[in-house]
Amino acid sequence: MSTVTSARALSPTAAGPRRRAALDWRVRFGVLALIWGFSFLLIKVGTEGYAPFQVTFGRLLFGTAVLAAAMAVKRERLPRGVRTWGHLAVAALLLNALPFSLFAYAELTVPSTLAGICNATSPLWGMALSLVALSEDRPTRSRVAGLGIGFIGVLTVLGVWQGFHGLDATGTALALLASLSYPVGWIYVRRTLAGTGHSHLSMTGAQLLLATAQLAVVTPLFTTLPSHFPVVPLLAVVALGALGTGLAMLIQYGIVAEVGPTTAQMVTYFIPVIATAAGVAILGESLSWSTPVGAVVVLAGAALTQARPRP
């Protein structure tokens, strides 16, 4: 899922004056973790009735509708400038259209639990990429160690000692590519859109609008209109968009504005736990010992990669 790093990078206002909301940020933090954790279950249910591109298009459409309503209430306007919209189009592809579609295709053949754990590798990919792409992110011993530990955790989840037996290689690769797409998008946003002066709500609304337009073009080319509309998968897609994308982004940015990105990004470490619990308890997905053990190792490594040296 789109994480707190994008919130910090997309808008300079996200880390500005901290506001207090009526609902305690810890409660909103828990709600956000639940929403994003259950998103992988909703993707799985949605793909049982609709093609992956259709699930992604519906997700973006309903997510955009939520942000459009929020913008109307707050009387926010979309950003201006051809260059800004060009950069937002790339951000929409890397942070929304591409990873959402890859996760949907991945869950055709892999459990939602595995997809949720693959999503937790995003900080690891981000650490590896930032060492190359962002000169201000200097490697430290703890961060390099975290990178190594994290990828050991990935190999544990995949069961490398068994030769990846029983694992769908294509679906797993798609889920890992989806998690890689997020930090690529964050780095691009950080280099091109930071400091534009637009509000985070305006920028995110435009980004989701562009991602929806991209899927509106792609979806008819690769899918056909369903002859019938299964209710449960349809409700899953609506929830995935309205809650897992639209509402989640509003909650995310509110938490970042109130307590800062460092605390808010801890939500990343709860998502695979909730995704695994939901997949096993509700969908009846099987779980070998290597999956939770590897997930803990991945999260430990990811936490080390986010550690900042003391001044």
Side-chain angles (χ1 to χ4, degrees), residues 130-178:
S130 67
L131 294 178
V132 177
L134 298 173
S135 59
E136 65 268 26
D137 283 338
R138 299 297 183 184
T140 63
R141 289 181 179 179
S142 63
R143 299 178 76 189
V144 172
L147 191 61
I149 291 171
F151 282 111
I152 290 174
V154 172
L155 295 177
T156 303
V157 170
L158 301 182
V160 64
W161 62 90
Q162 298 175 334
F164 307 108
H165 178 69
L167 191 69
D168 184 80
T170 301
T172 304
L174 291 176
L176 289 172
L177 283 174

Side-chain angles (χ1 to χ4, degrees), residues 69-92:
M71 290 179 64
V73 169
K74 295 187 176 183
R75 297 183 179 180
E76 291 270 4
R77 294 183 178 181
L78 291 171
R80 298 180 179 179
V82 175
R83 177 174 295 183
T84 298
W85 278 86
H87 290 315
L88 282 172
V90 177

Side-chain angles (χ1 to χ4, degrees), residues 5 26 50 64 69 122 138 142 156 158 178 191 230 246 261 270 282 293:
T5 307
R26 297 171 187 84
Y50 302 96
T64 301
S122 283
R138 299 297 183 184
S142 63
T156 303
L158 301 182
R191 286 181 171 272
F270 291 89
I282 299 177
V293 170

Side-chain angles (χ1 to χ4, degrees), residues 5 19 23 48 58 68-69 71 74-75 87 100 123 126 134 168 180 195 235 242 247 249-250 253-254 259 273 299:
T5 307
R19 305 182 301 272
L23 195 61
E48 291 176 354
M71 290 179 64
K74 295 187 176 183
R75 297 183 179 180
H87 290 315
F100 290 178
L134 298 173
D168 184 80
L180 172 61
L235 292 176
L247 179 61
M249 285 189 168
L250 293 176
Y253 285 117
V259 300
V273 177
L299 294 177

